[in-house]
Amino acid sequence: MDQLQLTDFLRYRFLAQPKFAPDGQRAAFTVTNCNEEENCYETRLWLWEAGRLRQLTDLGKESRFFWEDNTHLLFPAVRSKAEQKRQEAKEEFTSFYRLDVTGGEATHAFTLPFAAGTLYHVAGPRYLAEGSIDAAWPDYYQMDQAGREAVAKAYQENQDYEVLDEIPFWFNGQNFVNKKRNALFACNIETGEVHRLTEPLFSLDSLAMVGETAYFLGEAYEAKPSEHSSLWVLEGDALRCLNPKLPTLGGQLLAVGGKLLLLGSEGLRHGLNENDYVYTIDTETGCLSLLRAEEENMYSSVGSDCRYGGGEPRQARGEELFHLTTRWGNSHLYRLSPDGSSHPVVTKDGSIDSFAVSPATDTILLVAMFDCKLQELYTYDLASGNLQQVSHFNDACLAGKYVAQPQALRLESCGLEVEGWVLLPKDFDPSKSYPAVLDIHGGPKTVYGPVFYHEMQLWANRGYFVFFCNPMGSDGRGNRFADIRGHYGETDYRNLMDFTDAVLARYPQIDRKRLAVTGGSYGGFMTNWIIGHTDRCACAASQRSISNWLSFYGVSDIGYRFATDQCDGNPFDSPEQLWAHSPLRYAKSAVTPTLFIHSDEDHRCPMAEGMQMYTALVDRGVPARLCYFRGENHELSRSGKPKHRVRRLTEITDWIERYTK
């Protein structure tokens, strides 16, 4: 079989956002590919109907869409020269185009005078729309051309400065967000009337339509958002607060069978990572009633570097709520009944990444990674239970290539059952000796599973054993297993080392002196932790990591909440607690040659975290290298610019081979 190449991912196609038309007879979805020459991604709309697939658009910029009716799609785009000119002038607007899926070209439908997000249909030409605003100019959408030019001039004159007066002041993938808010607008697409409904400092979090009535979560804040949202209802054009302070930490509203549900957790038992309970909301009083005390999550957290775009993890059908859920290393589809009982629907090993349920037939459309293949489209029949692959977008990409099949390995560690997998090297010969890579997932509340992961498959194709597991702190095993607050680097570290020992025992062909370790985010934290606690690795590659919880508290977009929650302490009353769980504290013991990967717009794990650890190693004479990416954020390995993703994987692979080949 041929060898998988580092740049093969540039030919993969990524599927996302399946949505059925209101009559349930057809569904649209997006297909994305890399454009290496332009160093970008191209996304197009496709249609599934009567078992056949058809491409709908070809400009490569159609990344979002909404069904207007049974045969028409609305999608935002910049197509005309006038729109391009407005975009170049950094004017805020969103033009929507209408496409008849039965045939014909897309035509301009309407333009909203703000940066619009999700649209919600109310009735006839009336819509609600989420939109980004700057609280300094909350009525920008009403300004004439002269007013907009004045705002643009003010931005230009102040482009060298950032004034901060609230937290979080930046956010991963968005840069500075000081005084930026997600507002709610009422729009009439026939008359062009637009009205902002929420006050300038209000930020909308979640909205659900029950019939023609909108309910939403959010709050107005100045210096810092609170941990609890308020519940609002839109009655005509008037807003009314139903509940000024919900007991949950945020949450999501869902309309199911004419009822209003809330998915949210109080965080009292397991902190910020606690899985959501399901509540029903009295739409008159705003009071909550517990429907299901759910201990598992209701989304997919199975990792892969072969996705682009998203999709809803939950969808109502009649009185039932269909939802994804992570169970051990797989993501399955379940349904929640009106009585609060939960029932499995599709439980095939692998990852269901997104789905759509037909409102009129027994068909469910799945975007999934099954059988260690890349994403494809599948149909599932609720009546017969038949699961069928209906697309072949990626068959040619892997045809004739070696794809290592994950070999399951479970063991007991610290009184816990730990699940993991091993990929065997290409052309494996039991009589030969091989290097190996331990890959650690992020989160920590995510999982690895038996799915296709390009970087791991690449290393297996280059002659490495690759192994990975889900230590304590991972998802898929309930709240208690995921809760490592105040104990980072303890049981989770021991689980990883015990798993490594088990892999070495099962596969004596692995050369213990040629072992590498890598990981990103929490995996980067743990890589930093490992090199400070053992010298068993020949080299390490720490990506978008945490090295110092004390600094992370003040510079990460989630630091002031996440660091205190996960460390079970704060910099003022218990700084020793944060320092005790910081890898930087143990850097004096590190001797492992280490590569650091960080990005200048990663505000989740800012570059200062990697730089501190890098400096500590170089200062103490340990071989180290830092590759710093401009214009990238925390998602570099998954959705970074194609050429940057090539460089990142080249850096890591070259570093590992330098010390293990």
Side-chain angles (χ1 to χ4, degrees):
M1 302 188 78
D2 294 334
Q3 181 176 317
L4 187 77
Q5 301 299 315
L6 187 150
T7 55
D8 279 351
F9 79 89
L10 297 171
R11 299 191 299 117
Y12 300 164
R13 293 209 271 182
F14 314 110
L15 284 57
Q17 302 182 70
K19 298 177 188 176
F20 271 99
D23 65 1
Q25 299 304 310
R26 61 197 60 81
F29 60 100
T30 60
V31 178
T32 300
N33 62 272
C34 298
N35 182 327
E36 185 180 15
E37 183 177 350
E38 298 294 330
N39 202 24
C40 66
Y41 295 89
E42 298 175 338
T43 302
R44 297 171 174 84
L45 300 181
W46 280 69
L47 186 75
W48 175 88
E49 184 174 16
R52 294 188 296 273
L53 299 175
R54 178 162 56 91
Q55 184 175 328
L56 295 175
T57 63
D58 197 36
L59 288 184
K61 298 180 180 180
E62 301 82 33
S63 59
R64 293 189 292 133
F65 68 92
F66 311 92
W67 282 101
E68 184 178 30
D69 54 36
N70 293 329
T71 58
H72 292 87
L73 294 174
L74 293 173
F75 62 91
V78 174
R79 292 194 164 194
S80 70
K81 290 184 178 180
E83 290 167 344
Q84 292 172 2
K85 186 176 180 180
R86 293 177 69 182
Q87 185 181 59
E88 290 169 359
K90 300 188 183 303
E91 186 177 344
E92 292 188 359
F93 69 97
T94 308
S95 289
F96 284 88
Y97 283 74
R98 179 178 289 114
L99 177 65
D100 187 337
V101 300
T102 64
E105 295 292 326
T107 59
H108 179 263
F110 57 91
T111 296
L112 298 178
F114 55 88
T118 305
L119 291 181
Y120 304 91
H121 186 229
V122 179
R126 293 187 295 122
Y127 282 81
L128 295 176
E130 296 184 32
S132 175
I133 67 168
D134 187 330
W137 290 285
D139 297 321
Y140 176 90
Y141 73 100
Q142 293 180 322
M143 292 180 180
D144 58 17
Q145 189 61 32
R148 291 187 167 218
E149 289 176 357
V151 171
K153 182 179 180 181
Y155 274 126
Q156 185 175 14
E157 291 175 346
N158 288 278
Q159 63 182 345
D160 292 337
Y161 321 106
E162 290 290 344
V163 177
L164 309 178
D165 58 5
E166 63 183 29
I167 55 174
F169 43 80
W170 56 21
F171 200 79
N172 184 63
Q174 300 178 39
N175 285 324
F176 286 98
V177 295
N178 198 81
K179 289 297 184 288
K180 300 296 192 299
R181 297 292 189 267
N182 188 35
L184 182 63
F185 292 85
C187 312
N188 187 311
I189 65 172
E190 285 186 356
T191 65
E193 293 177 275
V194 175
H195 175 60
R196 177 172 49 79
L197 297 168
T198 49
E199 60 180 282
L201 290 175
F202 188 95
S203 193
L204 183 150
D205 294 328
S206 174
L207 185 148
M209 299 292 299
V210 180
E212 296 182 9
T213 303
Y215 298 87
F216 60 93
L217 304 179
E219 66 166 325
Y221 67 92
E222 292 191 35
K224 183 181 77 169
S226 71
E227 294 184 346
H228 301 275
S229 293
S230 51
L231 172 64
W232 296 76
V233 60
L234 175 63
E235 299 169 324
D237 283 336
L239 299 180
R240 179 166 64 93
C241 183
L242 284 177
N243 192 322
K245 185 179 180 181
L246 293 173
T248 58
L249 304 175
Q252 181 183 8
L253 294 177
L254 296 164
V256 182
K259 296 180 179 179
L260 186 63
L261 301 186
L262 170 68
L263 274 57
S265 72
E266 296 183 353
L268 299 178
R269 297 175 303 132
H270 301 284
L272 293 179
N273 283 339
E274 186 174 298
N275 289 321
D276 290 338
Y277 279 1
V278 184
Y279 300 89
T280 57
I281 299 179
D282 186 316
T283 55
E284 293 297 323
T285 65
C287 294
L288 307 185
S289 298
L290 181 64
L291 177 64
R292 180 175 178 80
E294 182 60 75
E295 288 297 312
E296 305 291 346
N297 78 15
M298 298 179 72
Y299 54 88
S300 172
S301 59
V302 179
S304 176
D305 56 358
C306 296
R307 301 186 181 108
Y308 192 94
E312 291 298 327
R314 311 170 188 99
Q315 183 188 331
R317 181 179 188 264
E319 295 185 340
E320 294 185 317
L321 177 66
F322 286 76
H323 65 89
L324 300 180
T325 180
T326 304
R327 304 297 171 100
W328 290 76
N330 304 286
S331 62
H332 297 155
L333 181 64
Y334 274 55
R335 61 181 174 86
L336 180 70
S337 295
D339 62 1
S341 59
S342 181
H343 312 275
V345 179
V346 182
T347 57
K348 180 178 173 63
D349 284 356
S351 175
I352 302 174
D353 298 336
S354 55
F355 72 98
V357 184
S358 170
T361 71
D362 287 327
T363 301
I364 300 178
L365 207 58
L366 309 170
V367 172
M369 303 178 77
F370 290 143
D371 305 314
C372 209
K373 296 190 295 186
L374 291 163
Q375 284 182 322
E376 295 294 352
L377 203 64
Y378 297 80
T379 56
Y380 179 80
D381 186 87
L382 281 167
S384 67
N386 181 51
L387 178 68
Q388 181 179 359
Q389 181 177 336
V390 295
S391 77
H392 298 275
F393 287 102
N394 287 301
D395 284 1
C397 296
L398 300 181
K401 299 290 181 74
Y402 173 67
V403 176
Q405 297 302 307
Q407 308 298 308
L409 193 161
R410 291 193 179 190
L411 71 149
E412 183 175 316
S413 170
C414 303
L416 301 169
E417 185 176 9
V418 175
E419 173 189 49
W421 296 266
V422 182
L423 303 182
L424 273 58
K426 184 178 183 296
D427 301 323
F428 172 60
D429 183 343
S431 67
K432 293 183 178 180
S433 177
Y434 295 88
V437 179
L438 166 63
D439 204 335
I440 306 170
H441 67 63
K445 194 173 179 282
T446 63
V447 296
Y448 276 151
V451 301
F452 188 95
Y453 218 110
H454 178 74
E455 65 180 36
M456 296 190 198
Q457 291 291 340
L458 170 69
W459 298 328
N461 271 265
R462 292 207 175 194
Y464 285 83
F465 275 87
V466 183
F467 57 100
F468 47 99
C469 71
N470 295 320
M472 186 175 183
S474 301
D475 207 353
R477 304 271 298 275
N479 281 314
R480 288 188 178 181
F481 188 84
D483 189 354
I484 56 172
R485 291 174 300 157
H487 297 285
Y488 273 58
E490 297 176 11
T491 301
D492 51 347
Y493 168 70
R494 192 68 263 153
N495 291 163
L496 287 161
M497 294 299 98
D498 289 347
F499 183 73
T500 299
D501 292 338
V503 171
L504 295 175
R506 175 173 291 189
Y507 299 98
Q509 296 84 3
I510 296 176
D511 184 343
R512 294 169 180 259
K513 295 182 179 180
R514 293 193 290 159
L515 175 64
V517 61
T518 188
S521 197
Y522 164 78
F525 160 88
M526 185 51 70
T527 299
N528 292 343
W529 187 269
I530 286 172
I531 64 173
H533 287 78
T534 179
D535 62 357
R536 72 186 304 176
C537 298
C539 65
S542 173
Q543 309 166 55
R544 50 197 169 94
S545 68
I546 296 172
S547 66
N548 183 353
W549 286 107
L550 289 163
S551 59
F552 180 85
Y553 163 87
V555 295
S556 169
D557 57 356
I558 61 172
Y560 70 96
R561 295 187 67 203
F562 193 76
T564 53
D565 178 75
Q566 295 297 289
C567 290
D568 196 24
N570 64 69
F572 315 106
D573 303 313
S574 49
E576 67 285 348
Q577 176 75 353
L578 277 68
W579 185 236
H581 294 281
S582 295
L584 186 62
R585 176 180 178 179
Y586 309 97
K588 65 180 181 181
S589 301
V591 295
T592 306
T594 303
L595 168 71
F596 295 91
I597 301 287
H598 269 270
S599 301
D600 67 344
E601 295 179 11
D602 184 345
H603 303 313
R604 186 62 37 83
C605 293
M607 58 187 181
E609 293 301 304
M611 287 179 169
Q612 290 178 81
M613 200 72 182
Y614 165 78
T615 298
L617 266 59
V618 174
D619 186 43
R620 303 185 68 81
V622 179
R625 175 183 174 93
L626 190 150
C627 186
Y628 164 74
F629 288 80
R630 292 188 176 91
E632 295 293 352
N633 58 53
H634 202 62
E635 302 304 310
L636 168 63
S637 65
R638 297 177 284 251
S639 59
K641 296 180 180 67
K643 290 182 180 179
H644 292 180
R645 291 178 66 180
V646 170
R647 177 60 181 268
R648 167 198 165 269
L649 191 48
T650 299
E651 286 280 342
I652 297 170
T653 303
D654 287 353
W655 185 262
I656 290 174
E657 290 186 340
R658 175 179 174 182
Y659 289 96
T660 59
K661 282 291 184 79

